[in-house]
Amino acid sequence: MSENVHKGHRERLKTEIVSKKRLSEIQNDKLLEMLLFYGIPQKDTAWIARELLTRFGSLSGVIDADIEELCAVKGMTRNAASLIKLIRPVARNYILSKYKTDDLLKNLTDIGEYMMVQFSLVDTECCAMLCLNRLGKVLSFEIIGEGDVDSVGISPRTVLEKVLKTEATAVVLAHNHPGGIAIPSELDVIITTEIIGALKAVSINLIDHIIIADDDYVSMAQSERFKYLFE
């Protein structure tokens, strides 16, 4: 009898969520409860979803938690925890798949959004380089070092060696400040200036240096303070 009650509840919740016209109308506890259906069979997952949200503070906190931390919550199973850990890579690959091979990044806003997606699963500090042809087609995206721009030792020579392996006419640098703020430092300006000069010597343009912090970014080429570097 109890199992039939839960089964009926699950079907009702599935119908409720699928029928929503706007995803923003679905509450986080309901989303998490339904997700847990597929990792915790024949049990009430509503209270487990609420416990997860309480323990980790938010839906993003649940998704970012380590698998062992998730498994430590009463009622959780390793299958359910593994399913939760799939959310970020699936979401990232879904968004990246929208950038088809032949799609062009036509302006700095397109480039900034592309970089935000690329860094969406990066939890540690790293530097990356995007190479484009004259039409704005992506030729390559590569993490060229881990750590901040100082400790990773990004140099004009490093960038040149990698760029010259492509047919790029334009390059974009990016690095992130996990948990920090997206404000360029004095060192960012120095390194950017040096790399602009090195690339110009071989007729390649550095068109932007993007600093990313969680869900925010600053384009130095669009910033009133720093855009003179790229003019």
Side-chain angles (χ1 to χ4, degrees):
M1 181 69 178
S2 176
E3 289 184 6
N4 289 335
V5 170
H6 290 312
K7 180 179 179 181
H9 170 69
R10 289 186 174 203
E11 292 304 319
R12 287 192 296 274
L13 183 57
K14 290 176 185 177
T15 300
E16 177 188 347
I17 289 178
V18 171
S19 65
K20 292 287 188 183
K21 294 182 179 179
R22 297 181 181 177
L23 294 178
S24 60
E25 295 176 353
I26 306 173
Q27 296 178 342
N28 288 338
D29 60 332
K30 297 294 185 183
L31 283 173
L32 193 53
E33 178 187 355
M34 181 172 166
L35 184 67
L36 294 175
F37 289 171
Y38 303 97
I40 307 175
Q42 299 181 342
K43 287 185 179 179
D44 178 10
T45 59
W47 68 271
I48 302 175
R50 291 193 293 271
E51 178 63 25
L52 286 167
L53 290 169
T54 299
R55 175 81 62 91
F56 299 107
S58 64
L59 183 61
S60 63
V62 174
I63 293 171
D64 290 341
D66 292 337
I67 194 165
E68 297 302 331
E69 292 177 321
L70 293 170
C71 289
V73 174
K74 184 178 179 181
M76 279 293 289
T77 65
R78 185 161 289 272
N79 282 345
S82 298
L83 186 59
I84 288 173
K85 296 308 296 179
L86 280 175
I87 293 175
R88 286 182 67 189
V90 168
R92 178 179 182 270
N93 288 350
Y94 162 75
I95 297 171
L96 281 176
S97 70
K98 288 180 173 291
Y99 290 98
K100 299 176 182 178
T101 304
D102 293 329
D103 282 353
L104 305 180
L105 302 181
K106 299 177 181 178
N107 52 52
L108 293 176
T109 299
D110 285 351
I111 291 171
E113 292 174 355
Y114 179 86
M115 287 297 200
M116 284 291 291
V117 173
Q118 290 286 359
F119 275 81
S120 62
L121 279 183
V122 178
D123 296 321
T124 57
E125 285 186 307
C126 66
C127 297
M129 184 174 69
L130 173 68
C131 292
L132 306 168
N133 69 9
R134 62 183 181 81
L135 298 176
K137 180 180 177 180
V138 175
L139 299 177
S140 67
F141 173 86
E142 182 180 0
I143 301 294
I144 57 176
E146 295 186 353
D148 59 33
V149 291
D150 186 17
S151 63
V152 80
I154 297 300
S155 67
R157 180 176 178 177
T158 301
V159 173
L160 272 175
E161 287 176 349
K162 293 181 179 297
V163 173
L164 292 176
K165 294 177 182 179
T166 73
E167 296 180 355
T169 60
V171 173
V172 180
L173 291 179
H175 72 276
N176 62 339
H177 297 161
I181 53 177
I183 296 179
S185 67
E186 291 184 12
L187 182 60
D188 293 334
V189 174
I190 293 171
I191 291 175
T192 300
T193 303
E194 291 176 349
I195 292 175
I196 285 174
L199 290 175
K200 278 187 177 179
V202 292
S203 301
I204 298 173
N205 293 323
L206 181 70
I207 59 176
D208 205 350
H209 187 168
I210 293 171
I211 292 84
I212 297 168
D214 298 328
D215 58 352
D216 187 26
Y217 77 92
V218 167
S219 159
M220 291 180 69
Q222 290 179 304
S223 168
E224 287 296 326
R225 184 179 174 185
F226 302 107
K227 66 180 182 180
Y228 73 91
L229 295 170
F230 304 89
E231 294 174 345

